[in-house]
Amino acid sequence: DAGVTQSPTHLIKTRGQQVTLRCSPKSGHDTVSWYQQALGQGPQFIFQYYEEEERQRGNFPDRFSGHQFPNYSSELNVNALLLGDSALYLCASSSSGRITNYGYTFGSGTRLTVV
Amino acid sequence: DQQVKQNSPSLSVQEGRISILNCDYTNSMFDYFLWYKKYPAEGPTFLISISSIKDKNEDGRFTVFLNKSAKHLSLHIVPSQPGDSAVYFCAASDRGGSYIPTFGRGTSLIVHP
């Protein structure tokens, strides 16, 4: 049973460019959350998608946007990249039927470097 | 302002001894707490959790203690094994936040053989 799959694993972009990261949730999960983990920091919540809509959002600017598709997969888009956007981006999936979040399954992340 | 704090960035322990990882939180609305473990090049994996109605939860070698009055929780690993070497994240959540976890910065545990 595949867990959460993220692509690409590594990415280098130039300041000002736009990037799209992709996530396929664990089988049976319908909710996708995105986190940013900067070096030496814990994961910071960006937003959560459920039923193709953004359900919750953390303290991130509008440059960060997302999408969820009918098959529950998700994309994270970041526009006008800044050097400070360099981080590990983690996708986590869960089942909407479980309010306790031990149901979160994380992917291995996409390492984004902005130069 | 960090709502979940792990003030020890690293901890070194001898194999077979106890590892104690600490976590403090500031938001009194938090009512569900978790520990995640992360190996390099992998995503965090859930380890153990505790609800605010309890003060202790045990799962094999791992025990989490919660002191609500002090807004403090700790993870005990007994006995520690070299395979436990990883970064441990404390996380907290609440119903008002749809139980979306807020993470600490993590503590890197190294267990020496």
Side-chain angles (χ1 to χ4, degrees), chain A residues 1 16 20 23 27 29 47 67 71 78 94 103 107 114:
Chain A
D1 177 27
T20 298
C23 173
S27 177
H29 285 181
F47 42 54
H67 189 78
N71 67 353
V78 186
S94 56
V114 182

Side-chain angles (χ1 to χ4, degrees), chain B residues 86-100:
Chain B
V87 176
Y88 289 78
F89 290 102
C90 171
S93 63
D94 67 282
R95 179 181 289 274
S98 299
Y99 287 110
I100 292 172

Side-chain angles (χ1 to χ4, degrees), chain B residues 74-109:
Chain B
S74 60
L75 174 68
H76 292 211
I77 306 173
V78 185
S80 302
Q81 299 174 354
D84 296 329
S85 298
V87 176
Y88 289 78
F89 290 102
C90 171
S93 63
D94 67 282
R95 179 181 289 274
S98 299
Y99 287 110
I100 292 172
T102 298
F103 285 82
R105 293 186 176 185
T107 296
S108 177
L109 173 66

Side-chain angles (χ1 to χ4, degrees), chain A residues 36 46-47 49 54 57 60-66 76-79 81 84-85 89 112:
Chain A
Q36 179 196 66
I46 303 175
F47 42 54
Y49 275 84
E54 183 182 291
R57 189 178 183 92
F60 277 79
D62 292 344
R63 298 187 296 109
F64 290 77
S65 63
L76 163 65
N77 300 292
V78 186
N79 293 322
L81 284 167
D85 295 331
Y89 288 84
L112 172 65

Side-chain angles (χ1 to χ4, degrees), chain A residues 10-85:
Chain A
H10 294 84
L11 201 53
I12 299 175
K13 287 287 190 178
T14 302
R15 195 170 37 180
Q17 285 188 316
Q18 178 264 345
V19 68
T20 298
L21 311 181
R22 295 176 175 81
C23 173
S24 293
K26 180 179 177 179
S27 177
H29 285 181
D30 57 8
T31 301
V32 173
S33 303
W34 286 91
Y35 284 80
Q36 179 196 66
Q37 186 182 5
L39 199 62
Q41 305 292 318
Q44 298 291 312
F45 174 69
I46 303 175
F47 42 54
Q48 183 181 83
Y49 275 84
Y50 171 66
E51 291 188 339
E52 303 180 48
E53 290 192 359
E54 183 182 291
R55 182 158 70 170
Q56 287 266 54
R57 189 178 183 92
N59 188 25
F60 277 79
D62 292 344
R63 298 187 296 109
F64 290 77
S65 63
H67 189 78
Q68 185 179 36
F69 298 93
N71 67 353
Y72 308 122
S73 67
S74 176
E75 288 182 349
L76 163 65
N77 300 292
V78 186
N79 293 322
L81 284 167
L82 303 174
L83 297 179
D85 295 331

